[in-house]
Amino acid sequence: MLSTTFTIASVFALASTTLAGTAGIKNNCGQDVFLTITHSDQSHSQMSIAANGGYFSEQINGQGNSYGLTKNSDYYSANTPKLIWGASDSAGTIYYSLNTVNGNPFDGQSVSLSGNQPGCATITSPDGSTKACTDKADFYLQVC
């Protein structure tokens, strides 16, 4: 019985993971931007997103996902302005927020974070407030 319970729990855990939405970032700026991704296990990666329509996406998986955008590759410098999108998938809900650290690298330029399902609030000002939406939503952050 224990084996069956474990197997069923594993299947449900896998199913909930595969149903989560995606995180997409589109760069409409005239210059490349740098994306630094950190996940709950503290793994991180950095890449550039090409100017004038470059795009990145991945599935939102679990809690503690951070997508940090900068205009230079020195993300960890205290002098680098950062736009940070936080996203966590928990119990059928994605919680998300948009914040800045050390200034806003897109100050004076448009920023929009939106989900594609009814009830997903769009964020156009990085104020750090947390929003919630179904984990079936795909989210898109557009800069410039």
Side-chain angles (χ1 to χ4, degrees):
M1 183 68 174
L2 179 60
S3 174
T4 304
T5 303
F6 177 75
T7 302
I8 291 171
S10 297
V11 168
F12 281 122
L14 180 61
S16 67
T17 299
T18 59
L19 294 176
T22 58
I25 300 170
K26 184 172 183 183
N27 177 15
N28 293 322
C29 300
Q31 71 181 79
D32 292 356
V33 297
F34 294 88
L35 170 63
T36 301
I37 303 169
T38 305
H39 295 291
S40 62
D41 63 0
Q42 298 305 307
S43 64
H44 64 277
S45 59
Q46 186 178 57
M47 67 200 71
S48 63
I49 302 176
N52 303 314
Y55 188 76
F56 165 84
S57 71
E58 72 173 13
Q59 186 172 355
I60 298 172
N61 190 4
Q63 299 180 14
N65 301 290
S66 172
Y67 304 93
L69 290 173
T70 59
K71 289 189 174 179
N72 67 56
S73 63
D74 196 9
Y75 182 81
Y76 294 102
S77 168
N79 298 322
T80 300
K82 302 163 189 68
L83 177 69
I84 301 174
W85 166 18
S88 289
D89 178 19
S90 177
T93 301
I94 291 184
Y95 299 93
Y96 58 103
S97 65
L98 199 57
N99 206 350
T100 59
V101 174
N102 302 325
N104 183 350
F106 303 99
D107 195 27
Q109 298 172 303
S110 67
V111 172
S112 176
L113 173 60
S114 60
N116 68 349
Q117 295 293 313
C120 294
T122 297
I123 301 173
T124 57
S125 176
D127 63 5
S129 65
T130 301
K131 311 291 186 205
C133 193
T134 175
D135 70 351
K136 293 176 181 40
D138 293 325
F139 290 85
Y140 303 97
L141 174 61
Q142 294 189 65
V143 293
C144 298

